[in-house]
DNA sequence: GCGTATAGGTCAACTATATTGACATATTAC
DNA sequence: GTAATATGTCAATATAGTTGACCTATACGC
């Protein structure tokens, strides 16, 4: 009686652990590489979001990243200085600036998330297409449940 | 030509986002509940690990949690004071202490990860057993690849 | 019994990450 | 010309977590 409930709970606990350790395994690699370059996770997030939303303004980037202007400022400035990100005044509204990855920035970003894609692709390859399909379905349902 | 590669990359990017948003969706709930109780994520982690490794010593807990003794001290002390965790001297070695969840602590822990289990169970239920199986396979492969 | 190792407790200083407040400049809109 | 918008920057603060230093109590080897 109790056993059924306990067993089901143990299965779900196992799934929770898989999620935690899987997430950690995927995120730990880039963290180390970034650290080696003297950057931190914010820098990666900035590269990631600019890569996926090119031509964003600063305000636009702030919104998708959900951090404060003051916090974004330093790392973004550094990325611009190091020529990973280009910042150009918008000709139609000279108050705002448009952000893009430079070729150098795109290479770095690709190499960082590239490691993550490699890990995922390897797991998908070994598990097979049906397992991948199931994984995507379940993850989409989890992610879709709003907080 | 390029298209094949780009398409594959986009699929993997999508998977990466699923992982990130899924993880966030699962972890955001308990964070809010904890905050309402005046606790933080460490408190939850302590409850979680003691729940899964009952009768650990302080050192044992430090090892599984991978935090410093000094950092563990305050939140653990508070949890003991608030009667969520019991701390008893080991009779066989009176230097060390054995940690356990009290009934109250077990209830809190169950209610916190219970919300997470509920979310997972709901996703599994909607996706079906085959998708669940695939999800577990893929997650295990991801988690298993050591950093 | 004595010295040493182990388990734990506690204070203080420090780093990293991130936020809020306050204020400045440049540009655009009305 | 005035108000609103976009950005830049300084300073103070909050939170999470670390390291160093030093303390007590107990166990273990001899």
């Amino acid at each position: 009686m109790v056993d059924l409930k306990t067993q089901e709970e143990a299965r779900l606990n196992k799934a929770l652990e898989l999620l935690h350790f899987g997430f950690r395994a995927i995120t730990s690699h880039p963290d180390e590489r970034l650290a080696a370059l003297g950057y931190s996770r914010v820098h990666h997030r900035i590269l990631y979001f600019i890569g996926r939303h090119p031509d964003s303004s600063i305000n636009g980037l702030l919104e998708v990243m959900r951090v404060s202007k003051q916090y974004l400022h330093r790392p973004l400035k550094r990325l611009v200085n190091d020529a990973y990100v280009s910042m150009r005044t918008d000709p139609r509204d000279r108050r705002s600036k448009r952000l893009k990855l430079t070729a150098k920035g795109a290479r770095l970003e690709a190499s960082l998330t590239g490691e993550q894609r490699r890990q995922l692709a390897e797991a998908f390859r070994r598990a097979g297409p049906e397992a991948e399909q199931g994984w995507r379905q379940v993850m989409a349902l989890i992610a879709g449940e709003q907080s």
Side-chain angles (χ1 to χ4, degrees), chain A:
Chain A
M1 323 270 123
V2 169
D3 240 323
L4 256 181
K5 192 184 161 194
T6 312
Q7 211 178 312
E8 167 69 2
E9 222 173 83
R11 279 167 40 79
L12 291 170
N13 280 338
K14 177 69 185 161
L16 270 178
E17 287 196 13
L18 282 176
L19 186 63
H20 273 91
F21 287 124
F23 187 79
R24 183 181 301 182
I26 287 283
T27 51
S28 68
H29 252 307
D31 281 1
E32 287 166 21
R33 288 232 17 224
L34 256 340
L37 289 173
Y39 289 137
S40 70
R41 207 174 281 192
V42 214
H43 297 86
H44 188 191
R45 294 224 298 143
I46 293 174
L47 292 174
Y48 179 87
F49 282 114
I50 295 182
R52 261 136 212 92
H53 304 275
D55 284 315
S56 288
S57 66
I58 303 269
N59 260 331
L61 186 59
L62 288 175
E63 273 171 37
V64 289
M65 289 189 59
R66 300 192 155 275
V67 295
S68 63
K69 177 177 66 165
Q70 294 89 332
Y71 179 53
L72 180 67
H73 183 247
R74 267 169 190 274
L76 178 57
K77 197 173 167 188
R78 233 193 106 195
L79 287 171
V80 171
N81 262 316
D82 296 354
Y84 290 105
V85 171
S86 78
M87 200 163 79
R88 294 190 5 253
T89 302
D90 182 336
R92 283 179 308 272
D93 183 343
R94 296 168 39 78
R95 288 172 304 182
S96 78
K97 309 199 171 160
R98 297 292 147 187
L99 301 167
K100 266 186 200 158
L101 295 185
T102 61
K104 184 181 169 191
R107 269 199 305 280
L108 177 56
E109 201 280 324
S111 133
L112 288 170
T113 58
E115 290 185 43
Q116 303 185 311
R117 281 192 293 264
R118 220 188 11 77
Q119 277 176 277
L120 268 184
E122 173 68 7
F124 288 154
R125 191 190 61 71
R126 290 210 265 167
E130 283 168 33
E132 174 178 349
Q133 188 47 40
W135 184 87
R136 286 179 187 271
Q137 256 182 275
V138 171
M139 285 309 297
L141 285 168
I142 294 172
E145 282 196 8
Q146 60 279 45
S147 85

